[in-house]
Amino acid sequence: MASLDTLFEAAKSIQTKAYAPYSRFKVGAAIATPEGQVFTGCNVENAAYPVGSCAEAGAVSAMIAAGGNRIARIVVMGEGDVLCTPCGGCRQRIREFAAPDTPIHVAGPEGIRKSFTLEELLPFSFGPDNLTDR
Ligand code: THU
C-alpha cells in the first residue's frame, strides 16, 4: 500500500488541477489500493451547478477504470481552515469499495489534520451486503 506521505503529496498535486471557478474551493483526493496503486481525482464544477462532481468521485472513477476495486486508505484535501470531510454522497461512494475500518485522512496543505474510519463518518451504512440475496 502507498505510504501516507505519498498519498498526501498525490492529493496535494491533483488539488491544483481542480476546476472550481464557482465555489473557488479546490479539492483533491487520492486513493491507495491494497495492491499499491494510487488514483487521484479533483472536483470538476459546471455552470449548471448540480452537474459538478466531487474529487472523491473522480478518484473512484479513475480506480475503477484502471481495474481496481478496493480502497485501502484515502486522503481528501480541501482549502481553508475548516476540516474538509467528504460530503455525504462521497462517504457512500467510498463505502462501496472500503471496509468499516478503512482510514479516511482529511488534509490541509500543511499535512493530515484528522483521520477517521469509514464507520465513524458513515455509521449503519447501506452497502453491497444489503443486496447479496437478490
Ligand atoms: N467537494 C468535493 O470535491 N468533495 C467533498 O467531499 C466536498 C465538496 C467540492 C464540490 C464543489 O466543487 C466544492 O467542493 C464546493 O462544495
Side-chain angles (χ1 to χ4, degrees), residues 19-20 23 25-28 42-45 52-56 76 84-87 90:
Y19 177 74
S23 70
F25 187 80
K26 294 186 171 194
V27 185
C42 56
N43 53 333
V44 182
E45 298 185 347
S53 57
C54 285
E56 298 91 324
V76 179
C84 181
T85 45
C87 77
C90 286

Side-chain angles (χ1 to χ4, degrees), residues 85-102:
T85 45
C87 77
C90 286
R91 295 176 194 200
Q92 185 69 35
R93 287 190 179 92
I94 295 165
R95 189 258 178 264
E96 185 74 13
F97 307 107
D101 63 351
T102 298

Side-chain angles (χ1 to χ4, degrees), residues 68-80:
N69 62 7
R70 296 311 300 164
I71 297 173
R73 56 162 63 133
I74 179 168
V75 171
V76 179
M77 171 143 7
E79 294 192 282

